[in-house]
Amino acid sequence: MAIPEETKFLFEIEFGLGAWAWGDRVFWSYGKTHTDIDIKEAFDTSIDAGITFLDTAEVYGQGRSETLIGEFLKSTKKPVMVATKFMPFPWRVRKSSLVNALKHSLSRLGLSSVDLYQIHWPFPPLPVEHWVEALAEAKQNGLARTVGVSNYNKNQMQRAYTVLAKYNIPLASNQVEYSLLDRRIEKNGVLQRANELGIRIISYSPLAKGILTGKYSSENPPPGVRGRQYSGILKEVQPLLRLMTEIGQDLGGKTSAQIALNWLICKGTLPIPGAKNAKQAEMNAGSLGWRLTDEQVKLLDVASDKLNK
Ligand SMILES: NC(=O)c1ccc[n+]([C@@H]2O[C@H](COP(=O)([O-])OP(=O)(O)OC[C@H]3O[C@@H](n4cnc5c(N)ncnc54)[C@H](OP(=O)(O)O)[C@@H]3O)[C@@H](O)[C@H]2O)c1
């Protein structure tokens, strides 16, 4: 399927930067593991490395992530594309809440429009169609260059596509969890249908929230909620991590994080890893400019298949 002219730019972006941890205290321990100074350095390092696509959301740090990005954008002359998201909380019922929420996001970001506005989750009670109609309005008002969805299954994605098509607006993207530890979109039809419809898949939690960097183990689990989320898999993931280390060595010293991110690029998707500081940002940016061989991708597929039953 040909990609619509309007959304082509998203397919030209190989890699982005996720900003959930920028301001989030509950899950990501903002203020303890990373400060505003660390985050600014992560931003500067990424921009200097040629990363031009940032993903945030109105709910990240209750707006703090957008506010920080707004401040950082003032400090650079380089063009940076910003994607943010609308959360369809159950108490939001009017379609106008979406455009109102977008206006608040734009004010925090200091922008007159975003490059991509996404519906964060297909939460009930309102049907997909309700919020996608509102998304079309945001696009028609010129507040969003393109529009997308997130966490939509194949059927919901198709319905969003169909609603937007009535307005002659392409569905630009579906942002979903995708990594060597979560390959559901390969099996549930989302990846294939997105490719058929010319919808860009944006891969979130591409490092499985840090597990695929290889720095955590059952003896040294990640803190808090993450530790509980991944406690079952930390032992089982070790053979995959060993393979990633071997492949990294064969490639002249690539890290496990870089292997995990490059694998997603090889799968034709746009990974948006989070980075809390300059060191992480620099390492993640090192996933660009080279490719795993087909053989290496296959080896990683086989090793991760065992963890994706
Ligand atoms: N649409 C959605 O529903 C949704 C859901 C989740 C995420 N997202 C988006 O996707 C982005 C990325 O996902 P994510 O933040 O969940 O997970 P991720 O990118 O898989 O992992 C990010 C975390 O891994 C660690 N890390 C990152 N790079 C590293 C490196 N090079 N070396 C060592 N550790 C490193 C850091 O945490 P520690 O240092 O604490 O280990 C960092 O916060 C988010 O920022 C957000 O924009 C969207």
Side-chain angles (χ1 to χ4, degrees), residues 18-20 28 55 60 85 120-121 150-151 175 204-210 213 215-216 226 257 272-274 276 280 283-284:
W20 177 16
W28 289 110
D55 179 74
Y60 294 170
K85 314 185 194 78
H120 208 145
W121 282 92
S150 177
N151 296 301
Q175 183 179 137
Y204 79 64
S205 302
L207 297 170
K209 300 196 177 80
T213 65
K215 69 179 176 181
Y216 296 119
R226 269 190 295 167
I272 47 165
K276 287 179 165 180
Q280 293 183 352
M283 188 194 291
N284 297 346

PDB file of all heavy atoms in Angstrom, residues 18-20 28 55 60 85 120-121 150-151 175 204-210 213 215-216 226 257 272-274 276 280 283-284, ligand 1:
ATOM      1  N   GLY A  18      11.506   8.635  23.834  1.00  0.00           N
ATOM      2  CA  GLY A  18      10.288   8.633  24.650  1.00  0.00           C
ATOM      3  C   GLY A  18      10.500   9.406  25.943  1.00  0.00           C
ATOM      4  O   GLY A  18      11.552   9.289  26.570  1.00  0.00           O
ATOM      5  N   ALA A  19       9.495  10.172  26.356  1.00  0.00           N
ATOM      6  CA  ALA A  19       9.666  11.089  27.488  1.00  0.00           C
ATOM      7  C   ALA A  19       8.722  10.803  28.656  1.00  0.00           C
ATOM      8  O   ALA A  19       8.399  11.700  29.427  1.00  0.00           O
ATOM      9  CB  ALA A  19       9.500  12.526  26.991  1.00  0.00           C
ATOM     10  N   TRP A  20       8.322   9.545  28.809  1.00  0.00           N
ATOM     11  CA  TRP A  20       7.449   9.192  29.931  1.00  0.00           C
ATOM     12  C   TRP A  20       8.166   9.433  31.274  1.00  0.00           C
ATOM     13  O   TRP A  20       7.572   9.934  32.244  1.00  0.00           O
ATOM     14  CB  TRP A  20       7.019   7.715  29.809  1.00  0.00           C
ATOM     15  CG  TRP A  20       6.184   7.170  30.917  1.00  0.00           C
ATOM     16  CD1 TRP A  20       5.500   7.878  31.882  1.00  0.00           C
ATOM     17  CD2 TRP A  20       5.915   5.780  31.195  1.00  0.00           C
ATOM     18  NE1 TRP A  20       4.830   7.011  32.717  1.00  0.00           N
ATOM     19  CE2 TRP A  20       5.073   5.725  32.329  1.00  0.00           C
ATOM     20  CE3 TRP A  20       6.308   4.586  30.587  1.00  0.00           C
ATOM     21  CZ2 TRP A  20       4.617   4.511  32.856  1.00  0.00           C
ATOM     22  CZ3 TRP A  20       5.853   3.384  31.115  1.00  0.00           C
ATOM     23  CH2 TRP A  20       5.018   3.359  32.254  1.00  0.00           C
ATOM     24  N   TRP A  28       8.730   5.925  37.392  1.00  0.00           N
ATOM     25  CA  TRP A  28      10.113   6.101  36.951  1.00  0.00           C
ATOM     26  C   TRP A  28      11.022   6.840  37.949  1.00  0.00           C
ATOM     27  O   TRP A  28      12.176   7.139  37.623  1.00  0.00           O
ATOM     28  CB  TRP A  28      10.150   6.831  35.600  1.00  0.00           C
ATOM     29  CG  TRP A  28       9.668   5.958  34.476  1.00  0.00           C
ATOM     30  CD1 TRP A  28       8.507   6.086  33.777  1.00  0.00           C
ATOM     31  CD2 TRP A  28      10.337   4.811  33.922  1.00  0.00           C
ATOM     32  NE1 TRP A  28       8.401   5.102  32.827  1.00  0.00           N
ATOM     33  CE2 TRP A  28       9.514   4.296  32.892  1.00  0.00           C
ATOM     34  CE3 TRP A  28      11.542   4.162  34.202  1.00  0.00           C
ATOM     35  CZ2 TRP A  28       9.866   3.168  32.145  1.00  0.00           C
ATOM     36  CZ3 TRP A  28      11.889   3.045  33.450  1.00  0.00           C
ATOM     37  CH2 TRP A  28      11.051   2.558  32.434  1.00  0.00           C
ATOM     38  N   ASP A  55       8.451  11.706  21.830  1.00  0.00           N
ATOM     39  CA  ASP A  55       7.107  11.234  22.171  1.00  0.00           C
ATOM     40  C   ASP A  55       6.801  11.540  23.636  1.00  0.00           C
ATOM     41  O   ASP A  55       7.561  11.164  24.525  1.00  0.00           O
ATOM     42  CB  ASP A  55       6.999   9.722  21.947  1.00  0.00           C
ATOM     43  CG  ASP A  55       5.616   9.214  22.318  1.00  0.00           C
ATOM     44  OD1 ASP A  55       4.678   9.482  21.535  1.00  0.00           O
ATOM     45  OD2 ASP A  55       5.454   8.590  23.381  1.00  0.00           O
ATOM     46  N   TYR A  60       1.989  12.198  31.257  1.00  0.00           N
ATOM     47  CA  TYR A  60       3.336  11.902  31.764  1.00  0.00           C
ATOM     48  C   TYR A  60       3.747  12.981  32.774  1.00  0.00           C
ATOM     49  O   TYR A  60       3.922  14.153  32.422  1.00  0.00           O
ATOM     50  CB  TYR A  60       4.366  11.824  30.622  1.00  0.00           C
ATOM     51  CG  TYR A  60       4.149  10.651  29.658  1.00  0.00           C
ATOM     52  CD1 TYR A  60       4.863  10.568  28.470  1.00  0.00           C
ATOM     53  CD2 TYR A  60       3.247   9.624  29.948  1.00  0.00           C
ATOM     54  CE1 TYR A  60       4.682   9.502  27.590  1.00  0.00           C
ATOM     55  CE2 TYR A  60       3.061   8.553  29.070  1.00  0.00           C
ATOM     56  CZ  TYR A  60       3.776   8.503  27.904  1.00  0.00           C
ATOM     57  OH  TYR A  60       3.594   7.447  27.028  1.00  0.00           O
ATOM     58  N   LYS A  85      -0.160  12.916  23.369  1.00  0.00           N
ATOM     59  CA  LYS A  85      -1.346  12.034  23.406  1.00  0.00           C
ATOM     60  C   LYS A  85      -2.468  12.575  24.286  1.00  0.00           C
ATOM     61  O   LYS A  85      -2.199  13.235  25.296  1.00  0.00           O
ATOM     62  CB  LYS A  85      -0.975  10.642  23.943  1.00  0.00           C
ATOM     63  CG  LYS A  85       0.270  10.039  23.352  1.00  0.00           C
ATOM     64  CD  LYS A  85       0.496   8.616  23.848  1.00  0.00           C
ATOM     65  CE  LYS A  85       1.901   8.152  23.528  1.00  0.00           C
ATOM     66  NZ  LYS A  85       2.930   8.686  24.437  1.00  0.00           N
ATOM     67  N   HIS A 120      -4.404   7.923  23.438  1.00  0.00           N
ATOM     68  CA  HIS A 120      -3.463   7.097  24.212  1.00  0.00           C
ATOM     69  C   HIS A 120      -3.919   5.645  24.361  1.00  0.00           C
ATOM     70  O   HIS A 120      -3.115   4.723  24.255  1.00  0.00           O
ATOM     71  CB  HIS A 120      -3.292   7.738  25.599  1.00  0.00           C
ATOM     72  CG  HIS A 120      -1.982   7.477  26.243  1.00  0.00           C
ATOM     73  ND1 HIS A 120      -1.328   8.389  27.027  1.00  0.00           N
ATOM     74  CD2 HIS A 120      -1.177   6.374  26.243  1.00  0.00           C
ATOM     75  CE1 HIS A 120      -0.198   7.871  27.475  1.00  0.00           C
ATOM     76  NE2 HIS A 120      -0.083   6.657  27.008  1.00  0.00           N
ATOM     77  N   TRP A 121      -5.215   5.454  24.644  1.00  0.00           N
ATOM     78  CA  TRP A 121      -5.754   4.096  24.859  1.00  0.00           C
ATOM     79  C   TRP A 121      -7.179   4.043  24.327  1.00  0.00           C
ATOM     80  O   TRP A 121      -7.894   5.051  24.387  1.00  0.00           O
ATOM     81  CB  TRP A 121      -5.799   3.756  26.360  1.00  0.00           C
ATOM     82  CG  TRP A 121      -4.480   3.379  26.950  1.00  0.00           C
ATOM     83  CD1 TRP A 121      -3.589   4.223  27.541  1.00  0.00           C
ATOM     84  CD2 TRP A 121      -3.892   2.071  27.024  1.00  0.00           C
ATOM     85  NE1 TRP A 121      -2.477   3.527  27.978  1.00  0.00           N
ATOM     86  CE2 TRP A 121      -2.643   2.200  27.668  1.00  0.00           C
ATOM     87  CE3 TRP A 121      -4.301   0.802  26.605  1.00  0.00           C
ATOM     88  CZ2 TRP A 121      -1.796   1.113  27.902  1.00  0.00           C
ATOM     89  CZ3 TRP A 121      -3.463  -0.280  26.845  1.00  0.00           C
ATOM     90  CH2 TRP A 121      -2.221  -0.120  27.487  1.00  0.00           C
ATOM     91  N   SER A 150      -3.027   4.728  19.790  1.00  0.00           N
ATOM     92  CA  SER A 150      -2.056   3.972  20.570  1.00  0.00           C
ATOM     93  C   SER A 150      -2.775   2.856  21.324  1.00  0.00           C
ATOM     94  O   SER A 150      -3.893   3.067  21.816  1.00  0.00           O
ATOM     95  CB  SER A 150      -1.355   4.907  21.561  1.00  0.00           C
ATOM     96  OG  SER A 150      -0.458   4.197  22.376  1.00  0.00           O
ATOM     97  N   ASN A 151      -2.128   1.709  21.375  1.00  0.00           N
ATOM     98  CA  ASN A 151      -2.698   0.538  22.067  1.00  0.00           C
ATOM     99  C   ASN A 151      -3.991   0.057  21.422  1.00  0.00           C
ATOM    100  O   ASN A 151      -4.833  -0.539  22.097  1.00  0.00           O
ATOM    101  CB  ASN A 151      -2.928   0.855  23.558  1.00  0.00           C
ATOM    102  CG  ASN A 151      -1.636   1.128  24.294  1.00  0.00           C
ATOM    103  OD1 ASN A 151      -0.755   0.281  24.338  1.00  0.00           O
ATOM    104  ND2 ASN A 151      -1.501   2.328  24.832  1.00  0.00           N
ATOM    105  N   GLN A 175       0.770   3.406  18.062  1.00  0.00           N
ATOM    106  CA  GLN A 175       1.894   3.230  18.994  1.00  0.00           C
ATOM    107  C   GLN A 175       1.555   2.075  19.936  1.00  0.00           C
ATOM    108  O   GLN A 175       0.565   2.131  20.657  1.00  0.00           O
ATOM    109  CB  GLN A 175       2.117   4.520  19.790  1.00  0.00           C
ATOM    110  CG  GLN A 175       3.305   4.412  20.706  1.00  0.00           C
ATOM    111  CD  GLN A 175       3.595   5.665  21.516  1.00  0.00           C
ATOM    112  OE1 GLN A 175       3.886   5.590  22.703  1.00  0.00           O
ATOM    113  NE2 GLN A 175       3.555   6.825  20.886  1.00  0.00           N
ATOM    114  N   TYR A 204       6.711   1.105  21.509  1.00  0.00           N
ATOM    115  CA  TYR A 204       7.012   1.639  22.851  1.00  0.00           C
ATOM    116  C   TYR A 204       7.561   0.552  23.772  1.00  0.00           C
ATOM    117  O   TYR A 204       7.445  -0.634  23.468  1.00  0.00           O
ATOM    118  CB  TYR A 204       5.825   2.393  23.435  1.00  0.00           C
ATOM    119  CG  TYR A 204       4.662   1.633  24.048  1.00  0.00           C
ATOM    120  CD1 TYR A 204       4.806   0.843  25.188  1.00  0.00           C
ATOM    121  CD2 TYR A 204       3.380   1.784  23.527  1.00  0.00           C
ATOM    122  CE1 TYR A 204       3.722   0.201  25.775  1.00  0.00           C
ATOM    123  CE2 TYR A 204       2.287   1.139  24.096  1.00  0.00           C
ATOM    124  CZ  TYR A 204       2.468   0.351  25.236  1.00  0.00           C
ATOM    125  OH  TYR A 204       1.386  -0.278  25.800  1.00  0.00           O
ATOM    126  N   SER A 205       8.181   1.015  24.859  1.00  0.00           N
ATOM    127  CA  SER A 205       8.928   0.119  25.778  1.00  0.00           C
ATOM    128  C   SER A 205       9.821  -0.823  24.973  1.00  0.00           C
ATOM    129  O   SER A 205       9.837  -2.049  25.192  1.00  0.00           O
ATOM    130  CB  SER A 205       7.979  -0.664  26.699  1.00  0.00           C
ATOM    131  OG  SER A 205       7.188   0.220  27.456  1.00  0.00           O
ATOM    132  N   PRO A 206      10.622  -0.285  24.052  1.00  0.00           N
ATOM    133  CA  PRO A 206      11.427  -1.129  23.151  1.00  0.00           C
ATOM    134  C   PRO A 206      12.567  -1.846  23.866  1.00  0.00           C
ATOM    135  O   PRO A 206      13.101  -2.811  23.341  1.00  0.00           O
ATOM    136  CB  PRO A 206      11.973  -0.116  22.123  1.00  0.00           C
ATOM    137  CG  PRO A 206      12.007   1.183  22.851  1.00  0.00           C
ATOM    138  CD  PRO A 206      10.814   1.157  23.780  1.00  0.00           C
ATOM    139  N   LEU A 207      12.907  -1.347  25.067  1.00  0.00           N
ATOM    140  CA  LEU A 207      13.954  -2.026  25.854  1.00  0.00           C
ATOM    141  C   LEU A 207      13.323  -2.867  26.959  1.00  0.00           C
ATOM    142  O   LEU A 207      14.006  -3.267  27.910  1.00  0.00           O
ATOM    143  CB  LEU A 207      14.892  -0.972  26.477  1.00  0.00           C
ATOM    144  CG  LEU A 207      15.675  -0.121  25.472  1.00  0.00           C
ATOM    145  CD1 LEU A 207      16.369   1.049  26.186  1.00  0.00           C
ATOM    146  CD2 LEU A 207      16.692  -0.962  24.722  1.00  0.00           C
ATOM    147  N   ALA A 208      12.010  -3.142  26.817  1.00  0.00           N
ATOM    148  CA  ALA A 208      11.265  -3.828  27.889  1.00  0.00           C
ATOM    149  C   ALA A 208      11.565  -3.145  29.221  1.00  0.00           C
ATOM    150  O   ALA A 208      11.928  -3.786  30.203  1.00  0.00           O
ATOM    151  CB  ALA A 208      11.566  -5.326  27.910  1.00  0.00           C
ATOM    152  N   LYS A 209      11.441  -1.824  29.183  1.00  0.00           N
ATOM    153  CA  LYS A 209      11.622  -0.959  30.375  1.00  0.00           C
ATOM    154  C   LYS A 209      12.974  -1.185  31.053  1.00  0.00           C
ATOM    155  O   LYS A 209      13.085  -1.151  32.281  1.00  0.00           O
ATOM    156  CB  LYS A 209      10.468  -1.150  31.350  1.00  0.00           C
ATOM    157  CG  LYS A 209       9.094  -0.810  30.749  1.00  0.00           C
ATOM    158  CD  LYS A 209       8.039  -0.646  31.821  1.00  0.00           C
ATOM    159  CE  LYS A 209       6.697  -0.251  31.253  1.00  0.00           C
ATOM    160  NZ  LYS A 209       5.935  -1.370  30.692  1.00  0.00           N
ATOM    161  N   GLY A 210      13.984  -1.433  30.250  1.00  0.00           N
ATOM    162  CA  GLY A 210      15.352  -1.543  30.772  1.00  0.00           C
ATOM    163  C   GLY A 210      15.857  -2.982  30.838  1.00  0.00           C
ATOM    164  O   GLY A 210      17.065  -3.216  30.895  1.00  0.00           O
ATOM    165  N   THR A 213      18.500  -4.132  28.333  1.00  0.00           N
ATOM    166  CA  THR A 213      19.843  -3.548  28.369  1.00  0.00           C
ATOM    167  C   THR A 213      20.816  -4.548  28.998  1.00  0.00           C
ATOM    168  O   THR A 213      22.024  -4.377  28.890  1.00  0.00           O
ATOM    169  CB  THR A 213      19.887  -2.251  29.211  1.00  0.00           C
ATOM    170  OG1 THR A 213      19.597  -2.585  30.575  1.00  0.00           O
ATOM    171  CG2 THR A 213      18.891  -1.218  28.714  1.00  0.00           C
ATOM    172  N   LYS A 215      21.177  -4.996  32.216  1.00  0.00           N
ATOM    173  CA  LYS A 215      21.723  -4.550  33.509  1.00  0.00           C
ATOM    174  C   LYS A 215      20.960  -5.126  34.699  1.00  0.00           C
ATOM    175  O   LYS A 215      21.411  -5.018  35.828  1.00  0.00           O
ATOM    176  CB  LYS A 215      21.769  -3.024  33.578  1.00  0.00           C
ATOM    177  CG  LYS A 215      20.409  -2.359  33.641  1.00  0.00           C
ATOM    178  CD  LYS A 215      20.559  -0.839  33.728  1.00  0.00           C
ATOM    179  CE  LYS A 215      19.208  -0.150  33.692  1.00  0.00           C
ATOM    180  NZ  LYS A 215      19.328   1.294  33.744  1.00  0.00           N
ATOM    181  N   TYR A 216      19.780  -5.720  34.433  1.00  0.00           N
ATOM    182  CA  TYR A 216      19.002  -6.298  35.532  1.00  0.00           C
ATOM    183  C   TYR A 216      19.063  -7.821  35.483  1.00  0.00           C
ATOM    184  O   TYR A 216      19.241  -8.412  34.409  1.00  0.00           O
ATOM    185  CB  TYR A 216      17.542  -5.831  35.446  1.00  0.00           C
ATOM    186  CG  TYR A 216      17.378  -4.329  35.629  1.00  0.00           C
ATOM    187  CD1 TYR A 216      16.838  -3.522  34.617  1.00  0.00           C
ATOM    188  CD2 TYR A 216      17.768  -3.727  36.824  1.00  0.00           C
ATOM    189  CE1 TYR A 216      16.700  -2.149  34.798  1.00  0.00           C
ATOM    190  CE2 TYR A 216      17.630  -2.353  37.008  1.00  0.00           C
ATOM    191  CZ  TYR A 216      17.095  -1.567  35.990  1.00  0.00           C
ATOM    192  OH  TYR A 216      16.964  -0.215  36.170  1.00  0.00           O
ATOM    193  N   ARG A 226       8.296  -2.164  38.300  1.00  0.00           N
ATOM    194  CA  ARG A 226       8.980  -2.894  37.220  1.00  0.00           C
ATOM    195  C   ARG A 226       9.504  -4.229  37.705  1.00  0.00           C
ATOM    196  O   ARG A 226       9.469  -5.227  37.003  1.00  0.00           O
ATOM    197  CB  ARG A 226      10.159  -2.067  36.703  1.00  0.00           C
ATOM    198  CG  ARG A 226       9.804  -1.174  35.571  1.00  0.00           C
ATOM    199  CD  ARG A 226      11.059  -0.588  34.964  1.00  0.00           C
ATOM    200  NE  ARG A 226      11.793   0.281  35.855  1.00  0.00           N
ATOM    201  CZ  ARG A 226      13.033   0.701  35.636  1.00  0.00           C
ATOM    202  NH1 ARG A 226      13.686   0.307  34.567  1.00  0.00           N
ATOM    203  NH2 ARG A 226      13.617   1.527  36.477  1.00  0.00           N
ATOM    204  N   ALA A 257      21.366  -3.009  24.501  1.00  0.00           N
ATOM    205  CA  ALA A 257      20.314  -2.008  24.219  1.00  0.00           C
ATOM    206  C   ALA A 257      20.301  -1.693  22.722  1.00  0.00           C
ATOM    207  O   ALA A 257      19.234  -1.617  22.090  1.00  0.00           O
ATOM    208  CB  ALA A 257      20.567  -0.734  25.025  1.00  0.00           C
ATOM    209  N   ILE A 272      10.945   4.087  20.227  1.00  0.00           N
ATOM    210  CA  ILE A 272      11.075   5.352  20.974  1.00  0.00           C
ATOM    211  C   ILE A 272      11.548   5.062  22.399  1.00  0.00           C
ATOM    212  O   ILE A 272      10.794   5.221  23.358  1.00  0.00           O
ATOM    213  CB  ILE A 272       9.741   6.145  20.992  1.00  0.00           C
ATOM    214  CG1 ILE A 272       8.543   5.222  21.348  1.00  0.00           C
ATOM    215  CG2 ILE A 272       9.482   6.844  19.675  1.00  0.00           C
ATOM    216  CD1 ILE A 272       7.279   5.987  21.744  1.00  0.00           C
ATOM    217  N   PRO A 273      12.814   4.637  22.567  1.00  0.00           N
ATOM    218  CA  PRO A 273      13.287   4.309  23.907  1.00  0.00           C
ATOM    219  C   PRO A 273      13.298   5.527  24.821  1.00  0.00           C
ATOM    220  O   PRO A 273      13.559   6.646  24.373  1.00  0.00           O
ATOM    221  CB  PRO A 273      14.724   3.818  23.656  1.00  0.00           C
ATOM    222  CG  PRO A 273      15.133   4.489  22.397  1.00  0.00           C
ATOM    223  CD  PRO A 273      13.894   4.558  21.559  1.00  0.00           C
ATOM    224  N   GLY A 274      13.051   5.276  26.100  1.00  0.00           N
ATOM    225  CA  GLY A 274      13.191   6.343  27.085  1.00  0.00           C
ATOM    226  C   GLY A 274      14.650   6.455  27.484  1.00  0.00           C
ATOM    227  O   GLY A 274      15.387   5.467  27.457  1.00  0.00           O
ATOM    228  N   LYS A 276      16.992   8.477  30.628  1.00  0.00           N
ATOM    229  CA  LYS A 276      16.928   9.336  31.815  1.00  0.00           C
ATOM    230  C   LYS A 276      18.112  10.287  31.903  1.00  0.00           C
ATOM    231  O   LYS A 276      18.105  11.192  32.723  1.00  0.00           O
ATOM    232  CB  LYS A 276      16.934   8.456  33.070  1.00  0.00           C
ATOM    233  CG  LYS A 276      15.631   7.713  33.317  1.00  0.00           C
ATOM    234  CD  LYS A 276      15.774   6.860  34.585  1.00  0.00           C
ATOM    235  CE  LYS A 276      14.425   6.397  35.082  1.00  0.00           C
ATOM    236  NZ  LYS A 276      14.575   5.567  36.298  1.00  0.00           N
ATOM    237  N   GLN A 280      22.564   7.194  28.753  1.00  0.00           N
ATOM    238  CA  GLN A 280      21.566   6.302  28.138  1.00  0.00           C
ATOM    239  C   GLN A 280      21.187   6.821  26.751  1.00  0.00           C
ATOM    240  O   GLN A 280      21.062   6.039  25.796  1.00  0.00           O
ATOM    241  CB  GLN A 280      20.317   6.213  29.029  1.00  0.00           C
ATOM    242  CG  GLN A 280      20.582   5.522  30.354  1.00  0.00           C
ATOM    243  CD  GLN A 280      19.338   5.359  31.231  1.00  0.00           C
ATOM    244  OE1 GLN A 280      18.280   5.885  30.915  1.00  0.00           O
ATOM    245  NE2 GLN A 280      19.480   4.654  32.333  1.00  0.00           N
ATOM    246  N   MET A 283      23.963   6.017  24.306  1.00  0.00           N
ATOM    247  CA  MET A 283      24.005   4.588  23.956  1.00  0.00           C
ATOM    248  C   MET A 283      22.860   4.237  22.995  1.00  0.00           C
ATOM    249  O   MET A 283      23.057   3.551  21.997  1.00  0.00           O
ATOM    250  CB  MET A 283      23.912   3.718  25.207  1.00  0.00           C
ATOM    251  CG  MET A 283      24.141   2.255  24.892  1.00  0.00           C
ATOM    252  SD  MET A 283      23.653   1.153  26.219  1.00  0.00           S
ATOM    253  CE  MET A 283      24.851   1.494  27.478  1.00  0.00           C
ATOM    254  N   ASN A 284      21.682   4.754  23.297  1.00  0.00           N
ATOM    255  CA  ASN A 284      20.528   4.412  22.462  1.00  0.00           C
ATOM    256  C   ASN A 284      20.678   4.979  21.052  1.00  0.00           C
ATOM    257  O   ASN A 284      20.339   4.316  20.065  1.00  0.00           O
ATOM    258  CB  ASN A 284      19.231   4.880  23.136  1.00  0.00           C
ATOM    259  CG  ASN A 284      19.016   4.164  24.464  1.00  0.00           C
ATOM    260  OD1 ASN A 284      19.676   3.160  24.747  1.00  0.00           O
ATOM    261  ND2 ASN A 284      18.122   4.674  25.280  1.00  0.00           N
TER     262      ASN A 284
HETATM  263  N1  LIG B   1       1.491   4.594  24.399  1.00  0.00           N
HETATM  264  C1  LIG B   1       1.683   4.000  25.545  1.00  0.00           C
HETATM  265  O1  LIG B   1       0.750   3.485  26.203  1.00  0.00           O
HETATM  266  C2  LIG B   1       3.078   3.928  26.096  1.00  0.00           C
HETATM  267  C3  LIG B   1       3.385   3.066  27.159  1.00  0.00           C
HETATM  268  C4  LIG B   1       4.716   3.012  27.594  1.00  0.00           C
HETATM  269  C5  LIG B   1       5.691   3.802  26.993  1.00  0.00           C
HETATM  270  N2  LIG B   1       5.339   4.655  25.970  1.00  0.00           N
HETATM  271  C6  LIG B   1       6.345   5.511  25.295  1.00  0.00           C
HETATM  272  O2  LIG B   1       7.499   4.748  24.975  1.00  0.00           O
HETATM  273  C7  LIG B   1       8.662   5.341  25.570  1.00  0.00           C
HETATM  274  C8  LIG B   1       9.681   4.303  25.932  1.00  0.00           C
HETATM  275  O3  LIG B   1       9.121   3.255  26.717  1.00  0.00           O
HETATM  276  P1  LIG B   1       9.475   3.044  28.251  1.00  0.00           P
HETATM  277  O4  LIG B   1      10.021   4.304  28.803  1.00  0.00           O
HETATM  278  O5  LIG B   1       8.273   2.398  28.863  1.00  0.00           O
HETATM  279  O6  LIG B   1      10.564   1.888  28.254  1.00  0.00           O
HETATM  280  P2  LIG B   1      11.963   1.590  27.540  1.00  0.00           P
HETATM  281  O7  LIG B   1      12.275   2.611  26.534  1.00  0.00           O
HETATM  282  O8  LIG B   1      11.876   0.177  27.133  1.00  0.00           O
HETATM  283  O9  LIG B   1      12.966   1.686  28.789  1.00  0.00           O
HETATM  284  C9  LIG B   1      13.364   2.937  29.262  1.00  0.00           C
HETATM  285  C10 LIG B   1      14.163   2.778  30.562  1.00  0.00           C
HETATM  286  O10 LIG B   1      15.231   1.855  30.405  1.00  0.00           O
HETATM  287  C11 LIG B   1      16.406   2.337  31.061  1.00  0.00           C
HETATM  288  N3  LIG B   1      17.374   2.639  29.971  1.00  0.00           N
HETATM  289  C12 LIG B   1      17.126   3.286  28.802  1.00  0.00           C
HETATM  290  N4  LIG B   1      18.217   3.318  28.015  1.00  0.00           N
HETATM  291  C13 LIG B   1      19.177   2.672  28.687  1.00  0.00           C
HETATM  292  C14 LIG B   1      20.521   2.371  28.402  1.00  0.00           C
HETATM  293  N5  LIG B   1      21.076   2.716  27.245  1.00  0.00           N
HETATM  294  N6  LIG B   1      21.254   1.698  29.331  1.00  0.00           N
HETATM  295  C15 LIG B   1      20.698   1.319  30.498  1.00  0.00           C
HETATM  296  N7  LIG B   1      19.418   1.578  30.837  1.00  0.00           N
HETATM  297  C16 LIG B   1      18.658   2.249  29.941  1.00  0.00           C
HETATM  298  C17 LIG B   1      15.966   3.579  31.833  1.00  0.00           C
HETATM  299  O11 LIG B   1      15.435   3.206  33.113  1.00  0.00           O
HETATM  300  P3  LIG B   1      16.355   2.799  34.389  1.00  0.00           P
HETATM  301  O12 LIG B   1      17.652   3.515  34.273  1.00  0.00           O
HETATM  302  O13 LIG B   1      15.534   3.188  35.577  1.00  0.00           O
HETATM  303  O14 LIG B   1      16.484   1.295  34.281  1.00  0.00           O
HETATM  304  C18 LIG B   1      14.830   4.088  30.970  1.00  0.00           C
HETATM  305  O15 LIG B   1      13.941   4.915  31.648  1.00  0.00           O
HETATM  306  C19 LIG B   1       8.089   6.123  26.776  1.00  0.00           C
HETATM  307  O16 LIG B   1       8.965   7.111  27.228  1.00  0.00           O
HETATM  308  C20 LIG B   1       6.816   6.676  26.156  1.00  0.00           C
HETATM  309  O17 LIG B   1       7.113   7.798  25.345  1.00  0.00           O
HETATM  310  C21 LIG B   1       4.058   4.697  25.515  1.00  0.00           C
END
